[in-house]
Amino acid sequence: MKHSIKIFAVALLLSFSLTLSAFAGTWMEDSNGWRWQEKDQLSPVSSWEWIDSNGDGMSECYYFDENGYLLTNTTTPDGYTVNENGAWVADGMVRLRAANPSAAASAKKEGRELYYQAIKKSSELQGLDISGDIHMSLSYTDMEVPISMKLRLQYHDINTPNMEFLSETAMQMMGSKDAHQSFYKDGTYYSNGGTHKKYKMKIGHEDMTKNLTLGGLTGQFFAFIDNVQIAAGDSGSKTIVYSSSGDGMEPYLSNINNEIWPLLNELDFKINRISGKAVLTPEGYFSKEDITIDTTMEEDGETAGFTMNIRLDYNNPGQAVTINFPSTDGYEVVVY
């Protein structure tokens, strides 16, 4: 009994201390504006501060000027936007951060469940139409190499006799361009890598499905979602904002590299950080995804930084997908 009472007392004190920290400060207004006073100290000067002023467990981020007054409805000196209440706004939403471990755990659990259900629902669709815009930057000593890639993927009735898909990629790097197009219709696979690189082959839908990795850019980092914020849209949509340290994500990044640029997997790399935003439709499907991956790569004792920004748009998820195929003329026949 004494042991149980001791545990209860510790838990009660911990809960009380968390409550005190949430309400440890107060807003004060004078003729010059608003300031934040906490523990007999006035608000910070020329800096940001995360404040949970209403005690709901989620903190907003505020910027205070050189005199300690809150900036509102403007752009801060470091280039960020704050609304009429002074809260930091990005991508049309007030950015929040959990103010205590309990709030963080609750947001993480809810965000993971929403994200998992979106993966499940989207993977069960008969077809998808996805547009991708990917920007990569390789930095080494004083050199920076920008790389951009555009993707378009459409498919329906996967692993059925009616299966069709169209995949298109276009990449630019240091003035050079490369494009590839592949599609499957009427039991034939077509691949077009440019002049003298066009071939076609007869292949059954079951064997074709085994060789596909359609939609491999989405849902890779579900198990690593952390620091979650969830915002509800007016129409019933939901936005999940998350980040993670990146520990243990390398195998998942390898899957993405295989979809985008397999050459990257020949290098030793470490993920330093990942951040993302997923917009879900009212029905729970993915609508948009933004993913930023910051990595460090090594080769022959040299180190380089590599950043990848992925933007995916899911066009009319849940609706039937109609594909406008290119001409099938000029393809060399090969045997599968």
Side-chain angles (χ1 to χ4, degrees), residues 88 95 221 226-227 241-247 249-250 253 270-276 291-296 306-308:
W88 170 35
R95 288 304 175 93
F221 301 119
D226 203 353
N227 303 314
V241 178
Y242 61 90
S243 65
S244 180
S245 65
D247 293 338
M249 291 186 185
E250 285 75 14
L253 181 58
K270 179 183 184 302
I271 301 179
N272 302 315
R273 187 174 184 276
I274 176 174
S275 60
I291 305 169
T292 298
I293 306 169
D294 177 49
T295 67
T296 301
F306 187 74
T307 302
M308 182 185 301

Side-chain angles (χ1 to χ4, degrees), residues 242-274:
Y242 61 90
S243 65
S244 180
S245 65
D247 293 338
M249 291 186 185
E250 285 75 14
Y252 297 85
L253 181 58
S254 293
N255 293 338
I256 289 181
N257 290 343
N258 286 333
E259 294 285 332
I260 299 174
W261 198 9
L263 179 64
L264 294 174
N265 284 333
E266 297 181 9
L267 305 175
D268 291 328
F269 58 85
K270 179 183 184 302
I271 301 179
N272 302 315
R273 187 174 184 276
I274 176 174

Side-chain angles (χ1 to χ4, degrees), residues 27-36 68-70:
W27 288 104
M28 301 179 60
E29 185 182 24
D30 58 31
S31 59
N32 294 314
W34 289 92
R35 310 181 81 172
W36 176 255
Y69 286 98
L70 177 70

